[in-house]
Amino acid sequence: MSEPPAPETEAPGIDQHLARVRRQLDRLSPHRAHAEAAAGARLVDTRPRLRREEEGGIPGALVIERNHLEWRLDPSSEGALPEADDRTLRWIVFCDEGYASSLAAASLRTVGVSRATDLIGGFRAWRAAGLPVLPPTGRPGA
């Protein structure tokens, strides 16, 4: 058996991809995201239910788990939320620490949600900044 042909160029890897994606976003610090949300932007929590139950949440954030995000926010999708029709709306996506949310915001921009961005440091940075959080709802250690 012969070896498969080597790719002509190496794939960039996740760290390089993440850095490239982030250069396209105007990422927000927790305090700036809080101010933008107060001015009408929508915060979107993409964390899995278990994380939200264990760590709490951000008051007023819309919960859309990552695997549904593009379908819920793309106005051309049959599964789009009513708010998705407003193309001027600013969407601020967050996850635990701000890695997956950068990729999610870039994906939203790819499907036409041009004002999508993410929260630097995610939920944990928001909480560490002393901004309002909802208490955990799950049972610790359960």
Side-chain angles (χ1 to χ4, degrees):
M1 282 198 170
S2 64
E3 297 271 331
E8 290 185 30
T9 59
E10 280 293 316
I14 188 60
D15 291 335
Q16 289 177 333
H17 176 62
L18 183 62
R20 186 177 68 244
V21 161
R22 284 179 169 171
R23 284 192 295 273
Q24 300 168 9
L25 300 172
D26 53 336
R27 302 181 75 221
L28 305 178
S29 70
H31 287 286
R32 187 166 161 219
H34 183 258
E36 288 201 22
R42 289 301 309 261
L43 291 164
V44 180
D45 190 342
T46 63
R47 297 175 300 151
R49 179 184 53 82
L50 183 60
R51 283 283 187 231
R52 295 189 311 274
E53 289 176 354
E54 290 175 347
E55 297 180 349
I58 296 176
L62 185 62
V63 174
I64 307 174
E65 290 192 17
R66 179 64 190 95
N67 57 332
H68 298 281
L69 188 65
E70 290 84 355
W71 287 270
R72 298 296 184 256
L73 297 187
D74 175 5
S76 68
S77 169
E78 288 182 20
L81 297 173
E83 300 101 306
D85 281 338
D86 182 355
R87 294 219 182 244
T88 66
L89 191 57
R90 170 74 137 175
W91 296 98
I92 305 168
V93 181
F94 67 93
C95 60
D96 288 326
E97 296 180 335
Y99 294 96
S101 61
S102 293
L103 299 174
S107 179
L108 285 171
R109 285 184 173 211
T110 299
V111 299
V113 184
S114 63
R115 298 201 63 219
T117 192
D118 79 319
L119 171 61
I120 298 168
F123 174 76
R124 293 180 184 172
W126 177 283
R127 183 178 56 203
L131 294 168
V133 295
L134 299 170
T137 59
R139 295 186 314 260

